[in-house]
PDB file of all heavy atoms in Angstrom:
ATOM      1  N   TYR U 330       5.594  -8.192  -4.275  1.00 94.00           N
ATOM      2  CA  TYR U 330       4.559  -8.462  -5.211  1.00 94.00           C
ATOM      3  C   TYR U 330       3.186  -8.389  -4.612  1.00 94.00           C
ATOM      4  O   TYR U 330       3.094  -8.365  -3.457  1.00 94.00           O
ATOM      5  CB  TYR U 330       4.710  -9.906  -5.858  1.00 94.00           C
ATOM      6  CG  TYR U 330       4.499 -10.920  -4.910  1.00 94.00           C
ATOM      7  CD1 TYR U 330       3.231 -11.675  -4.746  1.00 94.00           C
ATOM      8  CD2 TYR U 330       5.508 -11.432  -4.095  1.00 94.00           C
ATOM      9  CE1 TYR U 330       3.035 -12.582  -3.802  1.00 94.00           C
ATOM     10  CE2 TYR U 330       5.385 -12.435  -3.122  1.00 94.00           C
ATOM     11  CZ  TYR U 330       4.083 -13.101  -3.001  1.00 94.00           C
ATOM     12  OH  TYR U 330       3.788 -14.005  -2.110  1.00 94.00           O
ATOM     13  N   LYS U 331       2.202  -8.195  -5.389  1.00 90.00           N
ATOM     14  CA  LYS U 331       0.784  -8.199  -4.980  1.00 90.00           C
ATOM     15  C   LYS U 331       0.043  -9.092  -5.826  1.00 90.00           C
ATOM     16  O   LYS U 331       0.129  -9.015  -7.118  1.00 90.00           O
ATOM     17  CB  LYS U 331       0.177  -6.846  -4.960  1.00 90.00           C
ATOM     18  CG  LYS U 331      -1.331  -6.919  -4.356  1.00 90.00           C
ATOM     19  CD  LYS U 331      -1.918  -5.572  -4.441  1.00 90.00           C
ATOM     20  CE  LYS U 331      -3.414  -5.697  -3.953  1.00 90.00           C
ATOM     21  NZ  LYS U 331      -4.072  -4.479  -4.186  1.00 90.00           N
ATOM     22  N   GLU U 332      -0.673 -10.196  -5.221  1.00 87.00           N
ATOM     23  CA  GLU U 332      -1.234 -11.192  -6.094  1.00 87.00           C
ATOM     24  C   GLU U 332      -2.708 -11.150  -5.564  1.00 87.00           C
ATOM     25  O   GLU U 332      -2.922 -11.269  -4.293  1.00 87.00           O
ATOM     26  CB  GLU U 332      -0.658 -12.550  -5.878  1.00 87.00           C
ATOM     27  CG  GLU U 332      -1.305 -13.694  -6.575  1.00 87.00           C
ATOM     28  CD  GLU U 332      -1.248 -13.609  -8.114  1.00 87.00           C
ATOM     29  OE1 GLU U 332      -0.450 -12.802  -8.633  1.00 87.00           O
ATOM     30  OE2 GLU U 332      -1.963 -14.319  -8.751  1.00 87.00           O
ATOM     31  N   ASN U 333      -3.795 -11.126  -6.460  1.00 83.00           N
ATOM     32  CA  ASN U 333      -5.111 -11.115  -5.984  1.00 83.00           C
ATOM     33  C   ASN U 333      -5.560 -12.443  -5.390  1.00 83.00           C
ATOM     34  O   ASN U 333      -6.651 -12.393  -4.706  1.00 83.00           O
ATOM     35  CB  ASN U 333      -6.015 -10.561  -7.091  1.00 83.00           C
ATOM     36  CG  ASN U 333      -5.774  -9.181  -7.483  1.00 83.00           C
ATOM     37  OD1 ASN U 333      -5.112  -8.478  -6.645  1.00 83.00           O
ATOM     38  ND2 ASN U 333      -6.264  -8.693  -8.478  1.00 83.00           N
ATOM     39  N   ASP U 334      -5.150 -13.486  -5.863  1.00 76.00           N
ATOM     40  CA  ASP U 334      -5.443 -14.790  -5.302  1.00 76.00           C
ATOM     41  C   ASP U 334      -4.158 -15.570  -4.996  1.00 76.00           C
ATOM     42  O   ASP U 334      -3.082 -15.402  -5.661  1.00 76.00           O
ATOM     43  CB  ASP U 334      -6.439 -15.576  -6.125  1.00 76.00           C
ATOM     44  CG  ASP U 334      -5.809 -15.867  -7.585  1.00 76.00           C
ATOM     45  OD1 ASP U 334      -4.991 -16.773  -7.590  1.00 76.00           O
ATOM     46  OD2 ASP U 334      -6.189 -15.103  -8.471  1.00 76.00           O
ATOM     47  N   SER U 335      -4.282 -16.651  -4.155  1.00 67.00           N
ATOM     48  CA  SER U 335      -3.166 -17.324  -3.847  1.00 67.00           C
ATOM     49  C   SER U 335      -2.797 -18.569  -4.648  1.00 67.00           C
ATOM     50  O   SER U 335      -1.795 -19.242  -4.434  1.00 67.00           O
ATOM     51  CB  SER U 335      -3.324 -17.838  -2.297  1.00 67.00           C
ATOM     52  OG  SER U 335      -4.518 -18.684  -2.204  1.00 67.00           O
ATOM     53  N   GLU U 336      -3.737 -18.866  -5.614  1.00 72.00           N
ATOM     54  CA  GLU U 336      -3.519 -20.104  -6.451  1.00 72.00           C
ATOM     55  C   GLU U 336      -2.617 -19.700  -7.627  1.00 72.00           C
ATOM     56  O   GLU U 336      -2.635 -18.680  -8.266  1.00 72.00           O
ATOM     57  CB  GLU U 336      -4.940 -20.471  -6.990  1.00 72.00           C
ATOM     58  CG  GLU U 336      -4.762 -21.743  -8.022  1.00 72.00           C
ATOM     59  CD  GLU U 336      -6.127 -22.152  -8.447  1.00 72.00           C
ATOM     60  OE1 GLU U 336      -7.189 -21.594  -8.100  1.00 72.00           O
ATOM     61  OE2 GLU U 336      -6.132 -23.072  -9.338  1.00 72.00           O
ATOM     62  N   ASP U 337      -1.706 -20.642  -7.798  1.00 74.00           N
ATOM     63  CA  ASP U 337      -0.765 -20.527  -8.959  1.00 74.00           C
ATOM     64  C   ASP U 337      -1.375 -21.155 -10.134  1.00 74.00           C
ATOM     65  O   ASP U 337      -1.263 -22.495 -10.290  1.00 74.00           O
ATOM     66  CB  ASP U 337       0.545 -21.083  -8.628  1.00 74.00           C
ATOM     67  CG  ASP U 337       1.637 -21.071  -9.865  1.00 74.00           C
ATOM     68  OD1 ASP U 337       1.277 -20.445 -10.809  1.00 74.00           O
ATOM     69  OD2 ASP U 337       2.682 -21.630  -9.640  1.00 74.00           O
ATOM     70  N   HIS U 338      -1.982 -20.363 -11.029  1.00 83.00           N
ATOM     71  CA  HIS U 338      -2.718 -21.006 -12.112  1.00 83.00           C
ATOM     72  C   HIS U 338      -1.702 -21.500 -13.214  1.00 83.00           C
ATOM     73  O   HIS U 338      -2.104 -22.222 -14.041  1.00 83.00           O
ATOM     74  CB  HIS U 338      -3.585 -19.880 -12.696  1.00 83.00           C
ATOM     75  CG  HIS U 338      -4.734 -19.363 -11.908  1.00 83.00           C
ATOM     76  ND1 HIS U 338      -5.925 -20.020 -11.683  1.00 83.00           N
ATOM     77  CD2 HIS U 338      -4.763 -18.276 -11.023  1.00 83.00           C
ATOM     78  CE1 HIS U 338      -6.621 -19.403 -10.824  1.00 83.00           C
ATOM     79  NE2 HIS U 338      -5.925 -18.343 -10.393  1.00 83.00           N
ATOM     80  N   THR U 347       4.477 -18.171  -3.733  1.00 86.00           N
ATOM     81  CA  THR U 347       4.026 -16.814  -3.990  1.00 86.00           C
ATOM     82  C   THR U 347       2.593 -16.650  -4.476  1.00 86.00           C
ATOM     83  O   THR U 347       1.970 -15.622  -4.221  1.00 86.00           O
ATOM     84  CB  THR U 347       4.993 -16.085  -4.979  1.00 86.00           C
ATOM     85  OG1 THR U 347       4.841 -16.773  -6.216  1.00 86.00           O
ATOM     86  CG2 THR U 347       6.455 -16.218  -4.406  1.00 86.00           C
ATOM     87  N   GLY U 348       2.038 -17.690  -5.183  1.00 85.00           N
ATOM     88  CA  GLY U 348       0.771 -17.600  -5.881  1.00 85.00           C
ATOM     89  C   GLY U 348       0.928 -16.863  -7.042  1.00 85.00           C
ATOM     90  O   GLY U 348      -0.196 -16.626  -7.872  1.00 85.00           O
ATOM     91  N   VAL U 349       2.037 -16.350  -7.467  1.00 93.00           N
ATOM     92  CA  VAL U 349       2.175 -15.608  -8.870  1.00 93.00           C
ATOM     93  C   VAL U 349       2.024 -16.595  -9.954  1.00 93.00           C
ATOM     94  O   VAL U 349       2.596 -17.673  -9.856  1.00 93.00           O
ATOM     95  CB  VAL U 349       3.466 -14.879  -8.958  1.00 93.00           C
ATOM     96  CG1 VAL U 349       3.545 -14.191 -10.164  1.00 93.00           C
ATOM     97  CG2 VAL U 349       3.506 -13.835  -7.716  1.00 93.00           C
ATOM     98  N   ASP U 350       1.227 -16.310 -10.857  1.00 93.00           N
ATOM     99  CA  ASP U 350       0.850 -17.251 -11.914  1.00 93.00           C
ATOM    100  C   ASP U 350       1.964 -17.345 -13.049  1.00 93.00           C
ATOM    101  O   ASP U 350       1.966 -16.517 -13.900  1.00 93.00           O
ATOM    102  CB  ASP U 350      -0.529 -16.839 -12.596  1.00 93.00           C
ATOM    103  CG  ASP U 350      -1.605 -16.713 -11.477  1.00 93.00           C
ATOM    104  OD1 ASP U 350      -1.892 -17.715 -10.780  1.00 93.00           O
ATOM    105  OD2 ASP U 350      -1.971 -15.536 -11.284  1.00 93.00           O
ATOM    106  N   ILE U 351       2.886 -18.351 -12.883  1.00 95.00           N
ATOM    107  CA  ILE U 351       3.864 -18.447 -13.786  1.00 95.00           C
ATOM    108  C   ILE U 351       3.715 -19.664 -14.734  1.00 95.00           C
ATOM    109  O   ILE U 351       3.509 -20.760 -14.163  1.00 95.00           O
ATOM    110  CB  ILE U 351       5.182 -18.634 -13.050  1.00 95.00           C
ATOM    111  CG1 ILE U 351       5.533 -17.250 -12.287  1.00 95.00           C
ATOM    112  CG2 ILE U 351       6.455 -18.797 -14.042  1.00 95.00           C
ATOM    113  CD1 ILE U 351       6.644 -17.221 -11.410  1.00 95.00           C
ATOM    114  N   VAL U 360       4.986 -14.546 -16.796  1.00 96.00           N
ATOM    115  CA  VAL U 360       4.003 -14.366 -15.776  1.00 96.00           C
ATOM    116  C   VAL U 360       2.699 -14.005 -16.421  1.00 96.00           C
ATOM    117  O   VAL U 360       2.403 -13.143 -17.294  1.00 96.00           O
ATOM    118  CB  VAL U 360       4.361 -13.149 -14.861  1.00 96.00           C
ATOM    119  CG1 VAL U 360       3.300 -12.814 -13.835  1.00 96.00           C
ATOM    120  CG2 VAL U 360       5.747 -13.347 -14.269  1.00 96.00           C
ATOM    121  N   GLY U 361       1.653 -14.966 -16.150  1.00 94.00           N
ATOM    122  CA  GLY U 361       0.380 -14.766 -16.876  1.00 94.00           C
ATOM    123  C   GLY U 361      -0.795 -14.568 -15.828  1.00 94.00           C
ATOM    124  O   GLY U 361      -0.578 -14.408 -14.590  1.00 94.00           O
ATOM    125  N   TYR U 362      -1.940 -14.610 -16.323  1.00 92.00           N
ATOM    126  CA  TYR U 362      -3.197 -14.396 -15.594  1.00 92.00           C
ATOM    127  C   TYR U 362      -3.250 -13.192 -14.711  1.00 92.00           C
ATOM    128  O   TYR U 362      -3.704 -13.007 -13.586  1.00 92.00           O
ATOM    129  CB  TYR U 362      -3.364 -15.688 -14.559  1.00 92.00           C
ATOM    130  CG  TYR U 362      -4.721 -15.997 -14.254  1.00 92.00           C
ATOM    131  CD1 TYR U 362      -5.496 -16.686 -15.092  1.00 92.00           C
ATOM    132  CD2 TYR U 362      -5.287 -15.674 -13.030  1.00 92.00           C
ATOM    133  CE1 TYR U 362      -6.777 -17.055 -14.852  1.00 92.00           C
ATOM    134  CE2 TYR U 362      -6.514 -16.153 -12.771  1.00 92.00           C
ATOM    135  CZ  TYR U 362      -7.246 -16.732 -13.599  1.00 92.00           C
ATOM    136  OH  TYR U 362      -8.706 -17.100 -13.357  1.00 92.00           O
ATOM    137  N   ASN U 363      -2.534 -12.057 -15.299  1.00 94.00           N
ATOM    138  CA  ASN U 363      -2.330 -10.865 -14.596  1.00 94.00           C
ATOM    139  C   ASN U 363      -3.716 -10.077 -14.539  1.00 94.00           C
ATOM    140  O   ASN U 363      -4.265  -9.849 -15.457  1.00 94.00           O
ATOM    141  CB  ASN U 363      -1.271  -9.965 -15.223  1.00 94.00           C
ATOM    142  CG  ASN U 363       0.050 -10.421 -15.111  1.00 94.00           C
ATOM    143  OD1 ASN U 363       0.696 -10.425 -13.987  1.00 94.00           O
ATOM    144  ND2 ASN U 363       0.659 -11.026 -16.190  1.00 94.00           N
ATOM    145  N   GLN U 364      -3.969  -9.600 -13.287  1.00 94.00           N
ATOM    146  CA  GLN U 364      -5.287  -8.920 -13.012  1.00 94.00           C
ATOM    147  C   GLN U 364      -4.996  -7.560 -12.539  1.00 94.00           C
ATOM    148  O   GLN U 364      -3.942  -7.238 -11.881  1.00 94.00           O
ATOM    149  CB  GLN U 364      -6.050  -9.746 -11.937  1.00 94.00           C
ATOM    150  CG  GLN U 364      -6.423 -11.097 -12.187  1.00 94.00           C
ATOM    151  CD  GLN U 364      -7.143 -11.825 -11.090  1.00 94.00           C
ATOM    152  OE1 GLN U 364      -8.226 -11.400 -10.679  1.00 94.00           O
ATOM    153  NE2 GLN U 364      -6.560 -12.948 -10.656  1.00 94.00           N
ATOM    154  N   GLY U 366      -4.518  -4.304 -10.645  1.00 92.00           N
ATOM    155  CA  GLY U 366      -4.141  -4.092  -9.284  1.00 92.00           C
ATOM    156  C   GLY U 366      -2.990  -4.902  -8.775  1.00 92.00           C
ATOM    157  O   GLY U 366      -2.413  -4.607  -7.734  1.00 92.00           O
ATOM    158  N   GLU U 367      -2.637  -5.920  -9.515  1.00 94.00           N
ATOM    159  CA  GLU U 367      -1.550  -6.800  -9.189  1.00 94.00           C
ATOM    160  C   GLU U 367      -0.194  -6.127  -9.571  1.00 94.00           C
ATOM    161  O   GLU U 367      -0.193  -5.280 -10.541  1.00 94.00           O
ATOM    162  CB  GLU U 367      -1.566  -8.206  -9.766  1.00 94.00           C
ATOM    163  CG  GLU U 367      -2.714  -8.860  -9.249  1.00 94.00           C
ATOM    164  CD  GLU U 367      -2.718 -10.332  -9.901  1.00 94.00           C
ATOM    165  OE1 GLU U 367      -2.197 -10.523 -11.013  1.00 94.00           O
ATOM    166  OE2 GLU U 367      -3.422 -11.262  -9.241  1.00 94.00           O
ATOM    167  N   TRP U 368       0.944  -6.403  -8.812  1.00 96.00           N
ATOM    168  CA  TRP U 368       2.240  -5.682  -9.279  1.00 96.00           C
ATOM    169  C   TRP U 368       3.391  -6.641  -8.910  1.00 96.00           C
ATOM    170  O   TRP U 368       3.203  -7.497  -8.023  1.00 96.00           O
ATOM    171  CB  TRP U 368       2.326  -4.394  -8.620  1.00 96.00           C
ATOM    172  CG  TRP U 368       1.984  -4.185  -7.204  1.00 96.00           C
ATOM    173  CD1 TRP U 368       0.886  -3.716  -6.612  1.00 96.00           C
ATOM    174  CD2 TRP U 368       2.980  -4.487  -6.030  1.00 96.00           C
ATOM    175  NE1 TRP U 368       1.016  -3.788  -5.178  1.00 96.00           N
ATOM    176  CE2 TRP U 368       2.235  -4.193  -4.846  1.00 96.00           C
ATOM    177  CE3 TRP U 368       4.245  -4.918  -5.917  1.00 96.00           C
ATOM    178  CZ2 TRP U 368       2.796  -4.272  -3.646  1.00 96.00           C
ATOM    179  CZ3 TRP U 368       4.842  -5.145  -4.750  1.00 96.00           C
ATOM    180  CH2 TRP U 368       4.106  -4.755  -3.602  1.00 96.00           C
ATOM    181  N   LEU U 369       4.466  -6.493  -9.496  1.00 97.00           N
ATOM    182  CA  LEU U 369       5.777  -7.129  -9.256  1.00 97.00           C
ATOM    183  C   LEU U 369       6.826  -6.083  -9.166  1.00 97.00           C
ATOM    184  O   LEU U 369       6.796  -5.031  -9.862  1.00 97.00           O
ATOM    185  CB  LEU U 369       6.104  -8.030 -10.436  1.00 97.00           C
ATOM    186  CG  LEU U 369       4.915  -9.127 -10.885  1.00 97.00           C
ATOM    187  CD1 LEU U 369       5.290  -9.723 -12.172  1.00 97.00           C
ATOM    188  CD2 LEU U 369       4.892 -10.147  -9.668  1.00 97.00           C
TER     189      LEU U 369
END
Side-chain angles (χ1 to χ4, degrees):
Y330 65 92
K331 181 183 179 184
E332 178 69 15
N333 289 350
D334 62 75
S335 59
E336 181 182 353
D337 179 2
H338 297 275
T347 64
V349 176
D350 307 298
I351 297 177
V360 180
Y362 211 79
N363 289 289
Q364 301 178 55
E367 295 182 340
W368 48 262
L369 302 168

